[in-house]
């Protein structure tokens, strides 16, 4: 495979067919072998919520246990593996979330939300809601994006709502979750626009407006009309290539990945489309152009992952209607043979980002699971709820 500085050239001849079920098992084996659920001086972990670290791997195993309820790995249920990785975070001294550290990478909030759901513990879900005053309290400041900000907090609240959505009465866990979601949505909508992160107006899924809009609308669909103008303006930023710039004023067209660029827009727009009927044609056209660009430039030379690699871009192709064959074509670049051939396996066991959900193997496992299950092409931790 020849490559440019950022992506492999996409061969016109289809690659071999890959067995997704076998690759899912191989992925899980690499995670549990090279980065087992233990924490010692020689097997240290970084704790980054659902973005990376053991809690992100626990979330992978938990979600897979729902998709494949009868599947076992190394004679242990997927749910048991989820509990083992979750236990690592239980021993960590938690940091109190604040308006700048409350997104998907917050270990405290991620661990609390997943623990609440896995244990069916409404008290833990209420603890998650109790942070709302700290997260939304400041009249000015804080982050609203998905990675570190309030949009990510919305995802945790939605996750808990999947487990406690049938409660009744004003004092129920479900009612508290709904109220906290509503307060957080209102807080984000009240922030000065354009939304910014570290003083810059970002557009993409991880730190920018499309990610914020996606979490807002999936959390409270009725607010979509209020955001129609914002989304319309975002669509207007699409570049002639079909890609989207990472931020306002940027002339760069280099980043074709989930966190910055067209793939993140495709995944977001396909979830948002039904809520914006007036923008239906523009959304469909924007997705078509971004998918075409992802097909051309999306085989990234970076280690394949959800955030900035082939795994996330493959999901964009599948989500955007490029067809199952093109989805499979991208997946053939991140199977075991390719991982070894290109040298992507060198960090296994050395750096825990190799195993993380958005940074490495756990994200690859998610995509293999999506393919093997023939289920909805969604991005775990983002638009899967």
């Amino acid at each position: 495979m020849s490559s440019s500085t950022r992506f492999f050239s996409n061969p016109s001849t289809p690659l071999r067919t890959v067995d997704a079920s076998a690759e899912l098992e191989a992925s899980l084996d690499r995670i549990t072998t090279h980065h087992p659920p233990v924490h010692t001086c020689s097997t240290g972990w970084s704790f980054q919520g659902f973005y990376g670290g053991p809690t992100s791997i626990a979330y992978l195993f938990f979600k897979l246990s729902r998709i494949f309820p009868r599947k076992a790995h190394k004679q242990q249920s997927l749910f048991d593996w989820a509990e083992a990785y979750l236990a690592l975070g239980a021993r960590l001294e938690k940091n109190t979330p604040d308006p700048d550290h409350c997104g998907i990478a917050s270990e405290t909030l991620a661990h609390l939300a997943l623990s609440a759901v896995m244990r069916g513990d409404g008290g833990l879900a209420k603890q998650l809601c109790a942070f709302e005053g700290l997260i939304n309290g400041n009249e000015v400041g804080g982050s609203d994006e998905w990675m570190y900000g309030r949009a990510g907090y919305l995802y945790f609240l939605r996750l808990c709502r999947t487990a406690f959505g049938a409660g009744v009465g004003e004092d129920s866990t479900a009612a508290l979750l709904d109220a906290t979601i509503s307060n957080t949505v209102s807080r984000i909508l009240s922030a000065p626009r354009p939304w910014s992160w570290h003083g810059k107006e970002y557009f993409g899924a991880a730190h920018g407006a499309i990610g914020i809009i996606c979490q807002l609308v999936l959390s409270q669909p009725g607010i979509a009309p209020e955001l129609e103008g914002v989304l319309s303006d975002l669509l207007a930023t699409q570049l002639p290539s079909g890609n989207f710039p990472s931020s306002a004023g940027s002339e760069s067209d280099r980043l074709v990945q989930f966190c910055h660029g067209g793939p993140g827009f495709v995944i977001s727009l396909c979830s948002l489309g039904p809520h914006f009927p007036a923008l239906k044609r523009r959304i469909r056209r924007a997705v078509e152009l971004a998918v075409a660009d992802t097909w051309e430039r999306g085989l990234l030379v970076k280690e394949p992952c959800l955030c900035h690699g082939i795994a996330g871009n493959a999901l964009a192709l599948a989500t955007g209607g490029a067809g199952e064959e093109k989805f499979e074509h991208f997946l053939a670049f991140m199977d075991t043979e390719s991982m070894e051939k290109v040298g992507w396996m060198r960090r296994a066991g050395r750096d825990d980002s190799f195993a993380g959900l958005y940074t490495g193997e756990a994200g690859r496992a998610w995509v293999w699971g999506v393919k093997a299950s023939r289920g909805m092409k969604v991005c775990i931790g983002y638009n899967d709820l």
Side-chain angles (χ1 to χ4, degrees):
M1 291 183 282
S2 62
S3 68
S4 71
T5 55
R6 299 191 65 83
F7 58 92
F8 297 108
S9 60
N10 194 348
S12 58
T13 303
L15 298 186
R16 65 195 177 284
T17 300
V18 179
D19 185 335
S21 295
E23 288 299 331
L24 170 59
E25 185 60 28
S27 238
L28 297 181
D29 185 64
R30 285 191 284 271
I31 293 170
T32 57
T33 298
H34 295 293
H35 299 276
V38 296
H39 188 74
T40 67
C41 294
S42 60
T43 58
W45 288 95
S46 57
F47 293 83
Q48 299 175 292
F50 285 169
Y51 184 75
T55 301
S56 79
I57 297 172
Y59 193 41
L60 165 75
F61 275 106
F62 170 71
K63 294 286 285 191
L64 290 179
S65 76
R66 293 299 181 259
I67 299 172
F68 306 101
R70 299 179 181 178
K71 179 177 174 57
H73 174 65
K74 295 180 178 178
Q75 291 78 52
Q76 187 169 310
S77 75
L78 299 182
F79 191 87
D80 286 345
W81 280 108
E83 289 187 317
Y85 279 98
L86 189 66
L88 294 181
R91 295 193 288 269
L92 180 72
E93 183 177 351
K94 301 298 192 295
N95 295 318
T96 301
D98 61 57
D100 288 304
H101 302 89
C102 57
I104 210 73
S106 167
E107 178 64 27
T108 298
L109 297 178
H111 195 275
L112 190 56
L114 184 54
S115 297
V117 172
M118 289 179 59
R119 299 173 189 171
D121 189 334
L124 295 178
K126 290 178 179 179
Q127 288 182 37
L128 181 73
C129 294
F131 284 116
E132 187 257 327
L134 292 172
I135 291 168
N136 296 329
N138 290 353
E139 293 184 7
V140 180
S143 172
D144 292 305
E145 40 81 77
W146 169 82
M147 182 87 171
Y148 298 109
R150 298 180 182 100
Y153 182 47
L154 280 176
Y155 181 87
F156 296 134
L157 294 168
R158 290 210 321 278
L159 173 60
C160 284
R161 192 166 63 179
T162 65
F164 305 101
V168 294
E170 293 182 359
D171 296 329
S172 72
T173 302
L176 181 58
L177 285 165
D178 285 341
T180 308
I181 287 171
S182 181
N183 291 341
T184 305
V185 167
S186 296
R187 176 64 182 83
I188 295 173
L189 290 176
S190 70
R193 276 178 246 166
W195 292 297
S196 63
W197 183 67
H198 287 192
K200 185 182 291 189
E201 180 188 355
Y202 283 94
F203 296 146
H207 302 298
I210 195 63
I212 296 171
I213 294 172
C214 192
Q215 300 309 314
L216 286 171
V217 173
L218 293 182
S219 300
Q220 200 167 307
I223 64 163
E226 186 175 344
L227 293 166
E228 188 172 299
V230 182
L231 182 57
S232 177
D233 290 343
L234 265 184
L235 292 173
T237 68
Q238 190 167 28
L239 299 166
S241 65
N243 196 26
F244 284 84
S246 62
S247 60
S250 173
E251 298 180 358
S252 174
D253 187 17
R254 298 174 65 238
L255 301 179
V256 184
Q257 53 200 46
F258 167 81
C259 54
H260 299 291
F265 268 80
V266 170
I267 291 170
S268 304
L269 290 172
C270 287
S271 288
L272 291 171
H275 302 286
F276 293 90
L279 298 176
K280 181 178 179 180
R281 291 184 179 179
R282 290 183 62 194
I283 289 174
R284 183 172 63 241
R285 181 57 177 161
V287 168
E288 289 173 354
L289 292 172
V291 164
D293 186 54
T294 302
W295 174 249
E296 182 180 346
R297 297 192 290 160
L299 289 171
L300 304 182
V301 301
K302 296 177 181 179
E303 182 183 313
C305 63
L306 288 177
C307 186
H308 43 258
I310 293 172
N313 288 1
L315 279 182
L317 288 181
T319 301
E324 200 69 15
E325 289 184 0
K326 289 188 175 181
F327 177 45
E328 292 180 1
H329 182 81
F330 264 42
L331 296 188
F333 280 83
M334 64 174 218
D335 68 342
T336 299
E337 182 179 325
S338 296
M339 290 283 293
E340 294 173 345
K341 181 178 180 181
V342 180
W344 284 325
M345 284 290 294
R346 292 180 189 135
R347 284 199 304 115
R350 299 180 182 179
D351 180 351
D352 74 311
S353 66
F354 174 87
L357 184 55
Y358 267 80
T359 60
E361 195 69 69
R364 294 188 283 275
W366 171 254
V367 178
W368 290 122
V370 166
K371 173 60 182 171
S373 69
R374 300 180 182 179
M376 291 183 62
K377 310 301 194 296
V378 288
C379 194
I380 183 174
Y382 188 76
N383 69 331
D384 56 320
L385 301 176

